[in-house]
Amino acid sequence: MKYAVVLPAYNEEDLIENTLQSLFQQTHPPQEVVVVDDQSTDTTATLVKQWAKKHSSLQLIQLSGAAQHQPGAKVVHTFLKGVQALTQPYDVLVKLD
């Protein structure tokens, strides 16, 4: 079974490394992980970039533009950006938020 994980993220510097570590230590790790940074003002993106150097299956998408981070519907938009970034089809798609 092939699966991918999409993680919408906003100011997750306190939790993102534990989350990524848990994902990559699974008995059956995901074939692809996409973190979509929704204009974080902390070090979320920097931490994900460091992990991506060690894990080729991890990619970071950084949203930019005039839109402000908003909870709720914008999380769905952020998730869909991650889905669009996937490089292949998967049997299962996981959203962690």
Side-chain angles (χ1 to χ4, degrees), residues 4-9 16 20 23-24 30-38 44-63 78-88 90 93:
V5 175
V6 176
L7 289 110
I16 195 72
L20 294 173
L23 281 172
F24 290 114
Q31 283 69 37
E32 191 169 358
V33 177
V34 178
V35 176
V36 185
D37 180 36
D38 187 11
T44 298
T46 301
L47 295 170
V48 174
K49 287 176 187 177
Q50 291 171 355
W51 275 80
K53 290 178 185 176
K54 299 178 223 172
H55 299 278
S56 62
S57 61
L58 172 63
Q59 67 171 304
L60 172 67
I61 306 293
Q62 290 183 273
L63 300 182
T78 303
F79 169 74
L80 292 175
K81 288 289 185 185
V83 171
Q84 292 170 353
L86 293 172
T87 61
Q88 59 183 305
Y90 291 95
L93 179 58

